[in-house]
Amino acid sequence: MDNDTLSSLLGNPEALQDAVKAVSGMLGGASAAAPPPAADYDPTADMMQRALPVIGAIVQSGQGAVRQEKRALLGALKPFVTDEVAGQFDHALRLVSMARMARAAMGQLGQLGQGGPSDDSDTPQAL
């Protein structure tokens, strides 16, 4: 999967949900709470079942990185600026979202390493 495909998937909640459903369908729709039978155990499927909720939480944090009002303001300004500046608006929004997702991913890794919730007191509010 190339970076553009991954970025478009992570930036589109509907596409991400469709991908999760597709993967869940391929895995037989097994619940993460119920372990698979020992004879049919697939460590990759088990890992995917555990990873998908974490990935979903990380993506959600990126989507909320910039308030909707600010996104709307930048969108309203686009017709009045050059294409280059409009592209920079989009690029900046993606960077902020990716930075928030990176922070959330690091928080998830901290939770896994410590076995408990991480301290999010230094997490910045949405821009």
Side-chain angles (χ1 to χ4, degrees):
M1 183 178 288
D2 63 4
N3 286 340
D4 291 336
T5 304
L6 183 59
S7 294
S8 67
L9 179 64
L10 293 177
N12 184 344
E14 292 83 21
L16 181 63
Q17 287 177 348
D18 290 343
V20 169
K21 288 177 186 175
V23 169
S24 178
M26 286 188 280
L27 298 175
S31 168
D40 295 333
Y41 180 70
D42 180 8
T44 305
D46 187 42
M47 181 181 71
M48 287 300 294
Q49 286 292 329
R50 293 173 190 242
L52 287 176
V54 173
I55 292 169
I58 291 169
V59 170
Q60 288 294 327
S61 71
Q63 292 172 346
V66 179
R67 285 192 218 129
Q68 187 61 33
E69 298 87 20
K70 291 191 179 186
R71 285 185 182 276
L73 175 62
L74 291 174
L77 290 174
K78 281 184 180 181
F80 304 103
V81 298
T82 65
D83 288 340
E84 182 180 344
V85 172
Q88 289 175 352
F89 286 171
D90 294 334
H91 186 71
L93 290 172
R94 282 193 303 272
L95 286 175
V96 169
S97 293
M98 288 176 17
R100 180 64 65 91
M101 287 189 289
R103 176 170 280 217
M106 293 301 293
Q108 291 292 337
L109 290 174
Q111 285 181 355
L112 293 175
Q114 297 173 355
S118 64
D119 179 18
D120 290 336
S121 61
D122 63 338
T123 302
Q125 299 298 317
L127 297 177

